[in-house]
Amino acid sequence: MRELAGIVALVAGLWLAAAEAGFRSPESLVRNVYAHYGQGAPELSKGLPRDGVTARQFFDFPLRKAWSTPRAEPYDFLVQSPSWKLGPVAIAVVRRQYDKTYVAANFDNHGRRVTLNFILVNGPEGWLITDVETPHDSLRMFLEQFRN
């Protein structure tokens, strides 16, 4: 009986660890990023948090530390502005290439059109962001530029 309880506890712990990181589809990952930029509950309307838990849930290993390191950035890269009032977010998989999937996110922020291309990888933890690109920049370069 003890062995069975130990196995159940182990499986439950592994399930919870897997639930902390990654997402089941590329679209759900991007949709969950922008859930943090709404007009709803205050805890979900402050932008994507910069803590370690959020970094593990949304970003691949190399980008986690860069995301959660404190810095003084002039704007939030994921909405391309220091503030936001987003219109509907359109999400579409635009390309699957080897181990990466490219997902476009299009929306209006304060009436200005924004297009971002998320580069996602699928691993044991689920779907995670490896970079986000604009026509002129990438999240990795942006975070490196403004690191302390």
Side-chain angles (χ1 to χ4, degrees):
M1 188 65 165
R2 269 186 158 177
E3 291 173 13
L4 181 59
I7 292 171
V8 169
L10 178 65
V11 170
L14 291 174
W15 179 78
L16 288 173
E20 283 182 9
F23 293 89
R24 291 184 181 215
S25 74
E27 298 89 346
S28 70
L29 170 53
V30 177
R31 194 172 18 261
N32 276 280
V33 165
Y34 289 105
H36 292 274
Y37 293 90
Q39 301 295 325
E43 67 274 6
L44 295 177
S45 299
K46 295 179 181 177
L48 193 63
R50 297 300 187 113
D51 58 42
V53 172
T54 302
R56 275 190 308 280
Q57 185 180 15
F58 285 89
F59 298 101
D60 70 349
F61 185 75
L63 196 53
R64 288 175 188 167
K65 184 176 180 184
W67 179 258
S68 57
T69 301
R71 67 185 46 69
E73 300 162 347
Y75 60 94
D76 187 322
F77 189 87
L78 297 173
V79 292
Q80 296 288 294
S81 176
S83 63
W84 55 86
K85 183 171 182 176
L86 304 184
V89 179
I91 299 166
V93 172
V94 292
R95 182 172 72 225
R96 296 180 195 274
Q97 183 176 11
Y98 303 107
D99 63 335
K100 295 179 181 164
T101 297
Y102 296 77
V103 177
N106 298 291
F107 53 89
D108 287 336
N109 184 11
H110 290 292
R112 187 177 64 98
R113 192 83 183 134
V114 177
T115 299
L116 296 172
N117 291 307
F118 286 76
I119 303 170
L120 310 176
V121 292
N122 190 10
E125 299 173 312
W127 288 96
L128 297 169
I129 300 168
T130 191
D131 207 354
V132 182
E133 297 177 335
T134 70
H136 308 289
D137 203 0
S138 78
L139 179 60
R140 285 183 186 277
M141 292 189 314
F142 178 80
L143 294 175
E144 180 64 27
Q145 180 181 1
F146 293 104
R147 76 177 182 173
N148 291 339

